[in-house]
Each structure stands twice: as structure tokens, then as C-alpha cells.
Amino acid sequence: MAGRRFEGRTALVTGAAAGIGRATAKRLASDGVVTDVDGEGGEETLALLENEGGNSEFRELDVTDAGGFEECVEEVAAERGLDALVNNAGIGHETAAVEETDRSTLDRVIDVNCKGVWNGCRAALPIMKAQESGVIVNVASLAGLIGLPKQAAYSLTKGAVVNFTRTVAVEAGPYGVRANAVCPGFIETALGEAFFEGRDDPEKARARMEAQYPLKRLGRPEEVADAIAYLASDEASYVTGHGLVLDGGYSIA
Ligand code: NAI
């Protein structure tokens, strides 16, 4: 399964200790690189990959560390080659309107969600341009495309990721390098669950949320991983600068 579209190629996935990143690593990185700031979770992901065979490795990486990201990408490219970079690591925040969001929350969310993606692209692009191949997939969000109340800082960063991806695609296209984003709706991960935990009645809040989706359920990390695998594969060889929405129909209802 993991290598179906990606056999023999190396993908580096950030934030791969859990959730969407872990599912993506399982899907893509059977011969690739699992990274995360969470060493324990990263090793768990690696163990899952090793169970399925393959020759992957785990590297501890905080995406906000520009120098560390550059070093990691350069080492991976030199040792294994670098065919795909999935900038998945991201964080949410407590629900808060614009005027209720404190400066430190805003800074932290921008650091991880925006600068983390920037750092990854900044590190990978010179290598991919020089080799005249490679693909970047950035994990944005539906929150980057539509207005979501009390997700102000998060939506600011995810909207930025969607448009930054277009710019990267335009700059890198002439070198044979593609860049796309995925824009998932609500996905069942720790980050998703945290959204309900803050509510008075989490079960009711969850049921209300599910009811708003035409498919009447929330998404699964594996469904996002499949979309990322598509965008990273040659099957998407003419797709670049795109923001692929995976939201069970939420945004068109
Ligand atoms: P998660 O919380 O389950 O996993 C996020 C992973 O990123 C964790 O392993 C965490 O350790 C890692 N991480 C956090 N900060 C990091 C840093 N500075 N450097 C490296 N790794 C770091 O979250 P989930 O849901 O899997 O989210 C993955 C991506 O998908 C994020 O960018 C998120 O914004 C996005 N997303 C999630 C949705 C959801 O409903 N779960 C919906 C739309 C987008």
C-alpha cells in the first residue's frame, strides 16, 4: 500500500508522529523520512512502517527551526535523494475571536503553520530546482478557504499556506517542480478532538458538526493521506498550485 504510487522514491514528511502526518508517512514514506518534534511518537510511526517492511528513518525536527530544517533536508537529499516534501506539521489553538486571541497564540500559530511551511520550501526548493524534479505538498485547511468563526489565527495561517503554495508552484514550475496544497475539513485526529474537548457538551458538539457535512461524518487521516499521495505522484504530473479540498462536501452545501 505504502509504495503503490511512490515506489523507490523518498518522501520527507513533517509532523509525522500522529494524525494526518502518520497516515501520510504510512502511505508514502516506506523508504522515506519520518520527522516530528515529538521523538516518542515519531519512533512509534517508524515502528509501524518497519512492520510493513521498507527502509525508513526517523529524524527529530522542529519545523520552526529554519537551520535544523535545512540541515535535515540537505542530509536526506545527499543520503537518499529527495523526491517529495510534505509540510504537514501544524497546530491549532483554543477557539477565540480575533479580539480574544492573545499575541503569543498568534505568534506561535504563525511560527509553526506558516514559517514551518516556509522553512521546508526554503530548504527543499534549491535542491529540487537543481535536480529538476520534485514535489511539495503543503497541508493547509478548509479554514484557509472559508470563514470559520473563532478560528482566527488558524485561518490566517492556512489561507497564507494556500496562496504561498501557488507562488511556490509558479516559481518552481519552470524547473519541473510541482507544489500543491490539501485543504481538509474536520479530520479525526488529536488536533480535531481538541476542538470538541473545549465545548460544554463535546458529544453534542460533535454530532452537530457531523450533521453539517453532506457525507454526515468527519474525515479520516487516511483519506487525507490518499489525497497527498495522489498529489505527490506522477498521476498528478500536470497538477500544480492547486488546493485540493477534502471536506465531505461541507463547503458546497
Ligand atoms: P495532530 O495534532 O494529530 O498532529 C500534528 C503533528 O505535528 C504532531 O505529531 C505534532 O507533534 C507535530 N508538530 C506540532 N508542532 C510541530 C513542530 N513545530 N515541528 C514539527 N512537528 C510538529 O494534527 P493533525 O490533525 O494530524 O494535523 C496535521 C495537519 O493537518 C496540520 O497542519 C493541521 O493544521 C492540518 N489540518 C488538520 C485538520 C483536522 O481537522 N485534524 C483539518 C485541516 C487541516
Side-chain angles (χ1 to χ4, degrees):
M1 171 85 161
R4 205 171 69 211
R5 284 174 166 147
F6 222 69
E7 204 109 35
R9 301 188 195 180
T10 300
L12 188 156
V13 184
T14 70
I20 293 168
R22 174 174 284 177
T24 301
K26 285 176 75 179
R27 188 72 177 71
L28 278 187
S30 62
D31 290 310
V33 184
V34 171
T35 72
D36 204 291
V37 72
D38 169 7
E40 206 175 308
E43 293 291 354
E44 275 171 31
T45 300
L46 185 64
L48 291 170
L49 293 180
E50 282 171 347
N51 280 347
E52 293 177 15
N55 175 31
S56 28
E57 63 175 301
F58 170 67
R59 287 174 183 245
E60 205 163 304
L61 172 67
D62 182 336
V63 295
T64 65
D65 172 8
F69 210 151
E70 197 171 321
E71 204 173 298
C72 176
V73 164
E74 281 172 3
E75 283 175 13
V76 167
E79 289 165 21
R80 296 172 168 261
L82 181 68
D83 300 297
L85 168 67
V86 182
N87 285 310
N88 162 76
I91 56 170
H93 56 79
E94 286 187 4
T95 52
V98 176
E99 67 278 17
E100 294 163 351
T101 303
D102 60 64
R103 178 66 59 176
S104 62
T105 300
L106 176 65
D107 287 346
R108 181 74 191 140
V109 176
I110 289 175
D111 277 350
V112 179
N113 294 5
C114 288
K115 292 187 191 168
V117 172
W118 175 283
N119 291 339
C121 292
R122 175 76 183 71
L125 281 168
I127 294 164
M128 290 182 171
K129 281 180 171 178
Q131 69 193 19
E132 298 194 339
S133 69
V135 53
I136 293 172
V137 183
N138 295 327
V139 179
S141 172
L142 181 61
L145 300 175
I146 63 171
L148 282 182
K150 304 208 167 185
Q151 289 296 310
Y154 186 74
S155 69
L156 171 79
T157 62
K158 293 301 186 177
V161 170
V162 171
N163 208 42
F164 174 61
T165 305
R166 295 186 184 116
T167 297
V168 171
V170 171
E171 281 189 12
Y175 299 86
V177 176
R178 295 185 297 107
N180 290 287
V182 288
C183 301
F186 204 104
I187 307 298
E188 306 221 42
T189 66
L191 187 148
E193 282 308 316
F195 181 82
F196 295 127
E197 277 158 20
R199 303 296 159 121
D200 289 342
D201 186 340
E203 277 312 304
K204 218 182 220 170
R206 185 192 180 84
R208 254 202 320 269
M209 174 78 82
E210 285 170 346
Q212 288 172 33
Y213 281 74
L215 289 181
K216 300 298 170 202
R217 65 172 176 84
L218 308 180
R220 294 186 291 271
E222 293 74 20
E223 292 176 309
V224 183
D226 281 342
I228 292 171
Y230 162 68
L231 290 171
S233 77
D234 288 344
E235 288 169 28
S237 53
Y238 205 53
V239 182
T240 197
H242 186 60
L244 180 55
V245 177
L246 296 118
D247 69 349
Y250 184 96
S251 57
I252 48 85

